Amino acid sequence: MRLILLGPPNAGKGTQAQSLINKYHIPQISTGDIFRANIKQETPLGKEAKSYLDQGLLVPDELVVAIVQDRLKQEDCQKGFLLDGFPRTVVQAEALERFLKEDGSALNRVINIHVARETLIERAIGRRVCQRCGATYHVAFKPTAAEGICDSCGGEVIQRKDDQRETAEKRIQVYENETAPLIEFYQSQNLLVTIDGEQSIEAVTTAIYEALKDA
Ligand code: ADP
Ligand code: AMP
């Protein structure tokens, strides 16, 4: 299964990715997670990406495309993958199309999670993530059992810097300008399925499974 999870920041892509990778036994490739891990380890890539993430801007296409291309060549992606947060521009989508063609493979589906702007801000402000394993929580909608401690690994749960209101708003604007055109891009290839992301986490998962039944 080769899938893309498309949608604005805080739509619920990472949350849904967890169920999908378990069901389909495919790796999750989150470009945001790759950048955050590199920033934490202070690698050259992390140093280059940091200011873009801090400002809620997109990292330049050349850098992101090279990372994803390398990642897709790895053995665990041979039977499929779930892209979360990539592609985010038409240039990235065209690059992905080229590498899949070279590899003789193709996408099965693009799942577009639709959530209204006010909900996105509410989710951003309440989102908490585990610093150790990356698990995602929400103070109201998916709280940890013990405050500030990850249920799965016991790591410290924090708020992402780019989830503060101003940066979250900026990221939505960037999404609308640069990423939303991908809806039309994938619709014209008959790959797109739009899911109502305002439902409960479980209802969104069920709707995605349904959309993938014949994929
Ligand atoms: P994305 O990966 O698209 O940026 P996340 O999966 O991290 O989004 O979800 C953003 C926030 O919203 C998290 O705090 C998550 O727990 C919460 N969330 C995700 N899906 C739902 C939902 N269907 N209903 C309520 N809260 C949700
Ligand atoms: P995310 O974890 O998907 O919300 O991404 C966090 C941040 O990482 C974004 O705001 C961008 O700065 C950067 N980023 C992640 N994926 C991409 C991408 N495909 N293209 C450009 N920048 C990205």
Side-chain angles (χ1 to χ4, degrees), residues 9-10 13 30-33 35-36 49 52-54 56-61 64 84-89 92 127 160 162 171:
N10 281 288
K13 301 182 295 296
S30 158
T31 39
D33 284 352
F35 289 129
R36 281 184 291 277
Y52 296 101
L53 272 87
D54 285 351
L57 299 174
L58 294 185
V59 174
D61 287 332
V64 191
D84 161 10
F86 180 94
R88 256 174 155 105
T89 63
Q92 293 178 17
R127 173 159 66 177
R160 269 170 55 172
D162 60 355
R171 294 168 69 220

Side-chain angles (χ1 to χ4, degrees), residues 97 107-111 182-193 211 214-215:
E97 213 168 30
L107 294 167
N108 297 90
R109 280 280 185 287
V110 176
I111 303 288
L182 293 181
I183 294 176
E184 176 60 37
F185 182 91
Y186 287 119
Q187 208 152 31
S188 69
Q189 299 184 14
N190 272 328
L191 286 170
L192 194 88
V193 182
D214 59 346

Side-chain angles (χ1 to χ4, degrees), residues 157-174:
V157 169
I158 56 144
Q159 183 178 36
R160 269 170 55 172
K161 220 173 165 181
D162 60 355
D163 275 340
Q164 280 159 25
R165 181 180 287 273
E166 201 183 320
T167 321
E169 281 173 351
K170 173 78 196 161
R171 294 168 69 220
I172 296 171
Q173 195 58 51
V174 168

Side-chain angles (χ1 to χ4, degrees), residues 8-15 123 127 136-138 141 197 199-201:
N10 281 288
K13 301 182 295 296
T15 302
R123 288 189 186 172
R127 173 159 66 177
T136 303
Y137 300 92
H138 189 283
F141 309 132
Q199 310 170 84
S200 69
I201 292 175

Side-chain angles (χ1 to χ4, degrees), residues 98-189:
R98 277 198 303 278
F99 349 125
L100 293 179
K101 212 176 242 169
E102 280 163 24
D103 192 47
S105 65
L107 294 167
N108 297 90
R109 280 280 185 287
V110 176
I111 303 288
N112 174 40
I113 305 183
H114 182 267
V115 173
R117 191 188 174 91
E118 313 75 76
T119 314
L120 294 172
I121 300 289
E122 191 186 13
R123 288 189 186 172
I125 288 166
R127 173 159 66 177
R128 300 291 181 270
V129 292
C130 174
Q131 263 197 313
R132 194 187 294 162
C133 75
T136 303
Y137 300 92
H138 189 283
V139 291
F141 309 132
K142 194 186 172 203
T144 50
E147 204 182 320
I149 299 170
C150 178
D151 293 354
S152 26
C153 78
E156 188 193 355
V157 169
I158 56 144
Q159 183 178 36
R160 269 170 55 172
K161 220 173 165 181
D162 60 355
D163 275 340
Q164 280 159 25
R165 181 180 287 273
E166 201 183 320
T167 321
E169 281 173 351
K170 173 78 196 161
R171 294 168 69 220
I172 296 171
Q173 195 58 51
V174 168
Y175 163 82
E176 281 166 3
N177 296 342
E178 315 232 18
T179 311
L182 293 181
I183 294 176
E184 176 60 37
F185 182 91
Y186 287 119
Q187 208 152 31
S188 69
Q189 299 184 14

